[in-house]
Amino acid sequence: MNTNRTPNPPRGDGHAHGFLGERAELVSALLALTVYLTGLILELTGNGGPATLPLFVAAYVFGGFFTLREALLTVRRGRFQVDFLMLIAAAGAAAIGKWEEGAVLLVLFSLGHALEGYAMGRARRSIEALGELAPRSALVLRAATPVEVPVEELVVGDTVLVRPHTRVPADGFVASGTGSLDQSAITGESIPVDKQPVADRAAALADPAAVDAGSRVFAGTVNGAGALDVVVTRLARDNTLARVVRMVQEAEERTSPTQRFTDRFQKVFVPGVLALVAVLLGIGALTGEPFADTFYRAMAVLVAASPCALAIATPAAVLSAVGRAARGGVLVKGGAPLEEFGRLRTIAFDKTGTLTEGRPRLTEAEAADGVGPQELLRTALAVQRLSDHPLAQAVVRDAPALLGAAPARSAEPAAVNLRAVIGRGVTAELDGEEVHIGSLAYADSLAGPPVPAALRERTRQLAESGRTTMLVRRGERYLGTLGLMDAPRPDAADTVAELRGLGVTRMVMLSGDDQRVADEVGRAVGMDEVRGGLMPQDKVTEVARLRAAERTAMIGDGVNDAPAMAGATVGVAMGAAGSAVALETADIALMSDDLRRLPFITGLSRRAGRIIRQNLWLSLGIVAVLVPATVMGMGIGPAVLVHEGSTLIVVANALRLLRYPDVREARARR
């Protein structure tokens, strides 16, 4: 992977990027400054004479070397950019004997260019540092013996040993050992995440995507105090960290709407500046002004009108924001989604797995009159242990907590002969009695006593509040009803409130669940609108309807919701670190399964938009002031000083995005 690749440089495609290139350009600029100041001091003290001209010529050489190289590259490609205009101005100053003026132009331009390159390199290195997180070697078991090999030689199925307080060398899952991993570099989670072994190594290796997040590990994360055996599931070139670094680098190539505007503007503006210079020369000739004076003023206008700050205004902000987002566990695929997300006021959420945890929970156990809740739960637990249905698994997982101190498994009653009634319920035998568990419609279809009126009413109330209900009947007695629900994430309501504080005015939940279930979740988390009973194609239609009114983001898992996300202004995927599909399909990917990343990227994108606008107004304002000033007589020296100063201000303003705070992360660390 070429981490020094820098597409779309702001001033000419030949800019010497990389740390060594930045240092060489800075050294050349400092040499130019040194010889220029030496010549200037000699001239001011009256000791110059013939010695000053060679010094100013040397300033031309050192100050113009990198500028000339870039200008030649861009001219060969049929483009005329800022470097070209500066060289014309410097050559013009030399042609009329103004070597000192031309030297100060190239010195200040090269110095500003070098400092700009160094600052932009700092933003790039914050991204490239991600690629250095993964170890270069790994301890892998070969014939039961640990052998250190380069990570590039690891293959799927290898078992690597991860020692305490070292970095994980590959994507995979924990086969043995327990511990806590710092995943902040990948997912942005501020606290370590506990990891435990998978139950079935062969099944996990056959379907790595199905491995629970509590067993999945990523290359570049930091192990805690425990030793882990990790089975590799992805090659080094395909692991999550490599994908993130590659996609963040590619994000530089994806220009934003503002960048496309400035590119089009420059294509018209630069030839326009040359035309203005020609007009000024013509006016001077008509008025009889000395040619040297006319030509000097024209060169000063050429310097003043060069849109250096405008060229760098958007790329600097986008690069800084994308780098900051990546360090915060969010992948932004370029300036376009960054700018669009910063402007939107409407967000559509998928329900299951986005606003909710994506799995049902047992929330109520309502015993019938004369029946204790212990008998209800124990009976349901004994039968549902035999089923692999998600609702049954929820009962098995959550019933012990409602029971309190549950007896040992061997002391619990054991059910046998489970039979499923598709879409309605299950039946089994428990201590010689037949047990039925299922919907109210299933209960009504059974022979024997009807559902008691009080229990029927309570079941109806639970259903209206968004619960999935299951009546439990043992023999001829109804023991009660169970209420299950895909509960909202604990932080969903707070996240929605934070988004409102950031300026999101309309939030809509889209769900395939029954409208009553969707309404209950929507009320709990604070949605403005709730659409239930939707098929995948219906979600696409809803997103299109919302987008017709205003910019709309769609938040989903990046797989099932991919069509709806593709139809939104910006598609955002959650939990993308574990899903290659989500990484590829989303415009913005929240690497962790953490809804709290959403306010972070919303605030960052809005701040980036403000900084881009500030930079544009500043750069255009400087040009608007300098051009008339140089027409009225301002010299080249002051013009280039203001010109380069504005460029550095624009870059420094953009670099503030690298320090954008994550409020929740700071709170968690405290």
Side-chain angles (χ1 to χ4, degrees):
M1 183 183 301
N2 181 11
T3 56
N4 287 325
R5 178 173 62 88
T6 304
N8 209 21
R11 292 193 196 171
D13 297 342
H15 187 60
H17 289 298
F19 183 68
L20 292 178
E22 293 160 10
R23 176 174 290 183
E25 190 169 8
L26 183 59
V27 168
S28 181
L30 291 175
L31 285 173
L33 179 63
T34 300
V35 294
Y36 170 75
L37 290 177
T38 302
L40 183 62
I41 290 171
L42 289 175
E43 192 171 84
L44 292 176
T45 57
N47 298 317
T52 57
L53 180 58
L55 290 172
F56 291 144
V57 172
Y60 262 73
V61 173
F62 290 124
F65 176 78
F66 286 99
T67 303
L68 177 62
R69 189 176 69 171
E70 291 189 34
L72 291 175
L73 285 172
T74 55
V75 169
R76 285 174 188 169
R77 294 173 184 174
R79 301 202 310 246
F80 296 92
Q81 293 185 331
V82 173
D83 311 78
F84 183 73
L85 299 183
M86 289 298 177
L87 286 172
I88 291 176
I96 59 174
K98 299 281 187 176
W99 288 93
E100 179 184 338
E101 296 280 5
V104 74
L105 166 61
L106 289 179
V107 166
L108 292 178
F109 183 74
S110 63
L111 186 61
H113 203 180
L115 292 175
E116 172 198 317
Y118 180 82
M120 290 290 287
R122 178 185 167 193
R124 287 189 179 89
R125 284 190 289 274
S126 73
I127 295 172
E128 293 165 3
L130 291 171
E132 303 300 320
L133 292 177
R136 300 191 180 278
S137 62
L139 276 178
V140 61
L141 288 178
R142 300 280 196 234
T145 302
V147 178
E148 186 169 1
V149 300
V151 293
E152 291 80 7
E153 295 182 11
L154 293 175
V155 297
V156 173
D158 275 344
T159 299
V160 297
L161 309 181
V162 183
R163 292 171 173 168
H165 309 297
T166 61
R167 290 191 181 273
V168 177
D171 281 13
F173 59 81
V174 179
S176 66
T178 59
S180 295
L181 265 65
D182 179 355
Q183 299 186 159
S184 58
I186 303 296
T187 66
E189 293 165 289
S190 56
I191 58 177
V193 179
D194 293 337
K195 301 293 178 180
Q196 61 278 330
V198 296
D200 187 335
R201 171 174 173 157
L205 191 56
D207 187 9
V211 174
D212 184 81
S215 300
R216 186 187 300 141
V217 299
F218 305 109
T221 56
V222 182
N223 188 22
L228 304 174
D229 288 357
V230 171
V231 176
V232 177
T233 57
R234 283 182 182 151
L235 301 179
R237 65 176 179 271
D238 297 324
N239 66 40
T240 301
L241 181 63
R243 285 174 177 270
V244 169
V245 173
R246 189 160 57 244
M247 289 181 177
V248 170
Q249 290 174 334
E250 290 170 356
E252 293 185 60
E253 298 176 347
R254 302 181 183 184
T255 56
S256 69
T258 304
Q259 181 61 41
R260 289 194 292 271
F261 162 75
T262 56
D263 289 344
R264 290 195 302 269
F265 178 81
Q266 288 184 77
K267 288 179 181 178
V268 176
F269 186 73
V270 171
V273 170
L274 295 176
L276 175 62
V277 168
V279 169
L280 290 174
L281 291 174
I283 292 174
L286 292 175
T287 59
E289 183 182 39
F291 177 76
D293 295 343
T294 301
F295 192 79
Y296 179 80
R297 182 166 57 252
M299 294 303 100
V301 170
L302 193 64
V303 172
S306 299
C308 294
L310 181 66
I312 197 66
T314 303
V318 169
L319 182 64
S320 298
V322 168
R324 176 63 185 99
R327 288 193 288 112
V330 181
L331 174 61
V332 182
K333 295 184 180 178
L338 179 74
E339 281 198 47
E340 293 288 2
F341 198 73
R343 295 170 181 168
L344 60 83
R345 295 291 181 268
T346 298
I347 297 180
F349 294 86
D350 173 55
K351 180 185 81 70
T352 304
T354 303
L355 291 173
T356 66
E357 296 177 339
R359 59 180 183 176
R361 288 191 174 277
L362 178 61
T363 55
E364 286 88 14
E366 301 284 346
D369 293 341
V371 179
Q374 295 280 323
E375 182 182 2
L376 168 64
L377 287 168
R378 289 179 193 280
T379 301
L381 188 57
V383 173
Q384 299 289 35
R385 285 188 191 280
L386 304 178
S387 174
D388 60 358
H389 191 279
L391 294 178
Q393 293 174 353
V395 172
V396 173
R397 183 186 65 245
D398 300 334
L402 297 179
L403 279 167
R409 174 76 179 269
S410 60
E412 297 179 10
V416 294
N417 298 330
L418 179 78
R419 300 182 304 279
V421 182
I422 303 300
R424 307 187 78 181
V426 296
T427 181
E429 293 178 18
L430 181 64
D431 292 340
E433 292 186 287
E434 198 169 42
V435 177
H436 301 276
I437 303 177
S439 65
L440 182 58
Y442 175 57
D444 287 338
S445 71
L446 298 174
V451 178
L455 185 58
R456 179 184 293 274
E457 176 62 20
R458 183 56 183 143
T459 302
R460 185 188 64 79
Q461 291 174 353
L462 287 174
E464 288 181 350
S465 66
R467 270 60 171 178
T468 299
T469 59
M470 295 191 298
L471 283 156
V472 181
R473 173 177 159 175
R474 181 171 182 174
E476 297 295 306
R477 295 186 305 139
Y478 281 94
L479 304 185
T481 188
L482 304 177
L484 297 96
M485 184 179 182
D486 183 10
R489 292 177 181 268
D491 53 7
D494 289 343
T495 297
V496 169
E498 286 189 46
L499 290 172
R500 291 196 191 283
L502 290 167
V504 180
T505 57
R506 187 184 187 189
M507 282 176 270
V508 182
M509 189 180 80
L510 308 179
S511 174
D513 287 343
D514 180 81
Q515 186 67 48
R516 292 178 302 177
V517 175
D519 284 339
E520 181 68 17
V521 174
R523 279 193 295 269
V525 301
M527 290 288 105
D528 298 302
E529 302 173 39
V530 177
R531 301 280 189 271
L534 301 177
M535 299 295 288
Q537 60 269 26
D538 299 326
K539 292 183 181 180
V540 175
T541 302
E542 286 294 322
V543 169
R545 179 182 64 83
L546 293 170
R547 188 176 181 181
E550 56 187 338
R551 293 182 179 91
T552 300
M554 174 66 192
I555 318 294
D557 63 7
V559 182
N560 296 329
D561 301 306
M565 289 166 56
T569 309
V570 180
V572 182
M574 282 184 57
S579 170
V581 176
L583 279 175
E584 297 293 343
T585 59
D587 299 308
I588 296 176
L590 312 183
M591 301 303 291
S592 68
D593 191 26
D594 182 2
L595 200 59
R596 294 174 298 178
R597 297 289 86 202
L598 196 53
F600 163 71
I601 187 57
T602 302
L604 176 61
S605 60
R606 278 161 160 65
R607 176 74 63 82
R610 288 196 296 272
I611 284 180
I612 288 172
R613 289 190 294 273
Q614 290 168 6
N615 284 351
L616 288 178
W617 282 113
L618 175 64
S619 55
L620 290 172
I622 290 295
V623 171
V625 170
L626 277 183
V627 170
T630 49
V631 169
M632 298 301 294
M634 176 185 282
I636 289 178
V640 75
L641 185 63
V642 175
H643 180 278
E644 289 305 308
S646 68
T647 302
L648 293 178
I649 290 172
V650 162
V651 173
N653 193 34
L655 290 179
R656 292 192 299 128
L657 290 167
L658 290 173
R659 300 191 301 274
Y660 180 79
D662 186 340
V663 176
R664 288 199 175 195
E665 183 179 317
R667 288 174 184 167
R669 287 175 177 168
R670 285 200 297 268

